[in-house]
Amino acid sequence: MATLSINETYAPLLENISRYLIIYGGAGSGKSQFTAQKLLVRMMTEPGHHILALRKFGVTCMDSCFRLVHRMIIILRLSQDFSINKSERIITYLPNGSDMVFMGIADPEKLKSIAGITAIWIEEATELTQDEFDQVDLRLRGQTPSYKQIIITFNPIDEKHWIKARFFDQQVDNTTILHTTFEDNAFIDAQYRRVLDLHCELNANYYRIYRLGEWGRQEIEHPYMYNFSYDKHVIDVIRYRNDTPLRLSFDFNVDPFVCLVLQQWTDLLGEHLWFIEEITLRNGDVYKMCEAIRKRFPAWMIDHCLITGDAMQRKREITQSDNIDAWRIIQRELNVSDHRMQIPRSNPTQQSSQLLCNSLLARHPDLKICSRMHELIYDISYVECDGSGSIIKDNRSKRHQRADHLDAFRYALNTWCTLN
């Protein structure tokens, strides 16, 4: 075995046992290389490991994580001690049977089938939604012979990302955070430094993210919600009012199936519109959503709720067994009276909806969104439109975010709000 060469900045983390080990910062800082080194050391010195290495998609996980770990094994001259199975995406340490499985979070059913996970590496963690991370977090449980740890590595591309809100804007128990740049990587070559500096000279945001390793600001040329302001519209604490009916706005998709929960009322201080909670189901259906709502709210609150959402669902058959549309299923499952089902005959155009929503964002005296609604806030902040006001659906994949939460937001405002 060759000598393991570890950057001085990272060396103390070999012994770190925090559940969440977050390593973030600039490009070329060596964070992924160190993670591969630490996990290989754990595989060789702690028998019984079943490590999960993840990215958003399996193909990118193979191109980055798998390739890096394989290359590290070759550099250390340990090829004879490891089985490299590319088709099954598994690397196994033969002397004690410890292994590392490489996959994408985009295949949740395959993730659920993996049992006995002892450690997890999430590479480019900003690709994941908060719900996807939570599903991964739940997989690391039970009795294991050694400490359980999730290593999270990423470049801080967006200061509004849920990772910052969850781990950086508040203190999380059992968490270690390390910030690094290429200045911390003694093994980086001079040519890469020049290339990085060249790119950063051309873009101030690139300089902030990839050179300094600081939280960046994702640039949006044509935001659909151009009047949204995080400071104005987002607040940390919103509590349900017992004297005010719940309003539920639905957007129907299998992944995700979305319901936004809000309340609206008028008092001596004026008009109030509070978006309080988002219920997001992956691979969900209308029955699972109704079950989630019943579990979350007492019956007396559901009995008085108002419901709106995607009008097109009237034209779709949702279940072959019942042969009825989703709205009738919701009405039956939640026991909602006819007059509380306030579904429009047709959806508003995206152009007219953009005008209404932005006017309300600018003029409504108290339109607030709870800071816990990370996916709605992300959609409102980053979904783009073309010159006519139509949402650019092709742009969603590059941000790993759909506009489903934005759609539910639009439906709510178009049903329950008007411009005075």
Side-chain angles (χ1 to χ4, degrees), residues 329-346:
I329 297 173
I330 289 173
Q331 184 173 10
R332 183 184 66 190
E333 292 293 310
L334 299 183
N335 193 29
V336 178
S337 58
D338 287 341
H339 76 279
R340 295 188 178 279
M341 299 291 295
Q342 300 180 355
I343 318 303
R345 292 186 177 276
S346 61

Side-chain angles (χ1 to χ4, degrees), residues 4 19 33 56 160 166 176 202 206 233 235 258 271 375 400 410 412:
L4 187 64
R19 179 175 179 89
Q33 176 173 311
K56 181 76 171 185
K160 292 185 175 67
R166 178 161 180 169
T176 298
L202 300 176
Y206 268 46
H233 296 112
I235 59 176
V258 175
E271 299 179 7
E375 297 200 55
H400 316 289
R410 293 193 300 113

Side-chain angles (χ1 to χ4, degrees), residues 130-189:
Q130 182 171 6
D131 182 68
E132 288 170 338
F133 174 82
D134 289 340
Q135 292 300 317
V136 173
D137 197 5
L138 291 173
R139 304 304 301 168
L140 192 61
R141 62 181 185 268
Q143 295 296 321
T144 57
S146 55
Y147 66 91
K148 295 184 286 290
Q149 184 173 75
I150 301 177
I151 303 180
I152 304 166
T153 55
F154 62 93
N155 301 118
I157 60 171
D158 177 19
E159 63 184 359
K160 292 185 175 67
H161 199 279
W162 66 264
I163 291 179
K164 183 175 183 295
R166 178 161 180 169
F167 290 103
F168 290 78
D169 295 346
Q170 59 185 340
Q171 185 174 355
V172 180
D173 291 340
N174 207 6
T175 300
T176 298
I177 299 177
L178 178 66
H179 171 269
T180 58
T181 70
F182 72 72
E183 301 288 355
D184 298 298
N185 187 357
F187 309 108
I188 194 170
D189 61 272

Side-chain angles (χ1 to χ4, degrees), residues 22 57 89 96 154 173 190 251 262 275 283 290 297 373:
I22 300 174
F57 301 105
R89 301 181 177 183
N96 64 17
F154 62 93
D173 291 340
D251 183 71
L262 57 144
F275 286 80
N283 296 306
C290 290
F297 303 107
M373 302 178 73

Side-chain angles (χ1 to χ4, degrees), residues 317-335:
E317 293 181 357
I318 300 304
T319 62
Q320 293 181 353
S321 58
D322 289 341
N323 197 32
I324 59 177
D325 67 55
W327 291 120
R328 290 172 61 191
I329 297 173
I330 289 173
Q331 184 173 10
R332 183 184 66 190
E333 292 293 310
L334 299 183
N335 193 29

